[in-house]
Amino acid sequence: APMPGTILKVNVKAGDSVKQGDVVVVLEAMKMENDITMPADGVIAGVNVTQGATVNTGDIIVSFN
């Protein structure tokens, strides 16, 4: 996570193929919705958060291959 906040929406699940720039989760921080995007093409290996979860800076949101 680039900043602390609350996960509003999870758009992927393990096994999904994703492209660079795809929105994987929506993070609410400081009353703003922030799209967290894929840094590269890949396949989602695991999702480490659920909707409503609180995350801190540096937390792993999703892992991918």
Side-chain angles (χ1 to χ4, degrees):
M3 64 194 84
T6 302
I7 302 297
L8 293 181
K9 186 175 181 182
V10 179
N11 296 333
V12 295
K13 61 185 181 312
D16 286 355
S17 291
V18 290
K19 300 281 186 199
Q20 182 176 356
D22 286 354
V23 176
V24 290
V25 298
V26 178
L27 174 69
E28 180 184 43
M30 299 180 292
K31 306 273 188 224
M32 294 179 57
E33 291 185 9
N34 301 281
D35 292 338
I36 307 302
T37 59
M38 284 295 296
D41 294 355
V43 176
I44 301 296
V47 179
N48 303 325
V49 296
T50 57
Q51 186 173 334
T54 300
V55 295
N56 292 308
T57 303
D59 286 356
I60 304 297
I61 296 173
V62 298
S63 54
F64 64 97
N65 299 324

